[in-house]
Amino acid sequence: MTKIPFDIIGFDLDGTLVDTSGDLTAAVNHVLSSVGRPTLSAETVKQHIGGGAKLMLQQGLEATGGIPDGDFKPLYRQMLAYYEANVSVHSRPFDGALNVLDTLDAMGVRYAVVTNKFESLAVKLLNDLNLAHRMGCILGADTLGKENAKPSGAPIFEMVKRCGGGRAAYIGDSIYDIMAAKNADVPSVAVSFGFLHGPVEDMGADAIIDHFDDLIAALRNLS
């Protein structure tokens, strides 16, 4: 097996490694229903994922009439509680993702998750999916403090440190991911099947894939 020219591969979580849209949509709609708002489709909520749970709920509320009485915090806590209790009802790895992890294992390449989800929620989800133990590390938006969440390059640097050092690449589906990779000076791969906010070509990634079956070849080409 021809090895890729990287020692560490970082993955975004929501919309990249795992399709979490069903459970995130359910959490947003739980809050919207509780305040008498119309619910949103998964396609709409997908456009709000990437900047963290708070921004996702804010945009959901604004899309349906604004924040009731300007009191956002209790609704945010309500959504987090619901989501934590239902984090893996519908969420599953994207097609081909597990095969890619198996291939990286066979190559001796380490991999990790760097997400703008809270670390505790990311760990819970990955544990539920029997993936947490495979990760070199799991970094969330709060791991290094909110000022160091993506698009900061800080969590990418920390990933490399925790995984023992070496050459890294990062895989994601949002501008936050690609900017974080650029800020950490590592190559990036954008997935066209993720929770895109616009044309995948506009993100400026070093490579684009349409399926995880294409990832290993794309990483080789980044050498």
Side-chain angles (χ1 to χ4, degrees):
M1 184 180 292
T2 305
K3 198 174 185 296
I4 59 174
F6 298 101
D7 306 293
I8 303 163
I9 302 299
F11 293 93
D12 172 51
L13 184 56
D14 300 276
T16 300
L17 192 63
V18 178
D19 184 353
T20 55
S21 58
D23 293 317
L24 290 170
T25 298
V28 171
N29 283 338
H30 173 74
V31 174
L32 294 178
S33 295
S34 75
V35 293
R37 298 289 177 80
T39 58
L40 299 174
S41 68
E43 290 305 312
T44 297
V45 174
K46 281 180 184 180
Q47 298 172 33
H48 302 159
I49 300 169
K54 184 174 290 187
L55 180 60
M56 180 182 69
L57 180 59
Q58 285 175 338
Q59 291 178 326
L61 288 166
E62 289 165 1
T64 56
I67 298 172
D69 302 320
D71 197 0
F72 178 76
K73 288 184 179 179
L75 299 179
Y76 181 50
R77 288 195 295 268
Q78 178 185 345
M79 186 191 74
L80 289 179
Y82 179 91
Y83 183 63
E84 183 175 10
N86 300 276
V87 71
S88 60
V89 174
H90 304 290
S91 296
R92 298 293 182 271
F94 279 102
D95 188 44
L98 298 183
N99 289 338
V100 161
L101 298 186
D102 290 342
T103 300
L104 294 175
D105 284 336
M107 291 179 170
V109 176
R110 289 154 279 156
Y111 47 87
V113 161
V114 177
T115 175
N116 273 352
K117 207 182 207 70
F118 286 136
E119 181 182 318
S120 61
L121 292 174
V123 170
K124 186 176 190 303
L125 173 59
L126 290 167
N127 269 320
D128 286 356
L129 298 177
N130 198 31
L131 290 174
H133 70 284
R134 301 182 65 170
M135 301 297 159
C137 63
I138 301 169
L139 302 177
D142 55 333
T143 303
L144 302 177
K146 62 183 181 180
E147 70 279 1
N148 289 317
K150 296 178 296 183
S152 169
I156 307 293
F157 288 127
E158 183 68 13
M159 173 192 75
V160 173
K161 177 182 175 182
R162 293 192 185 191
C163 287
R167 190 176 185 209
Y170 187 66
I171 322 300
D173 71 314
S174 78
I175 190 64
Y176 301 100
D177 301 322
I178 305 310
M179 288 177 64
K182 289 183 184 299
N183 289 332
D185 196 27
V186 303
S188 60
V189 179
V191 299
S192 66
F193 50 80
F195 306 157
L196 303 178
H197 299 179
V200 67
E201 296 82 7
D202 291 352
M203 289 194 286
D206 297 299
I208 297 170
I209 60 169
D210 300 321
H211 191 280
F212 268 120
D213 288 351
D214 305 324
L215 180 59
I216 299 301
L219 291 170
R220 288 195 182 110
N221 289 336
L222 289 177
S223 61

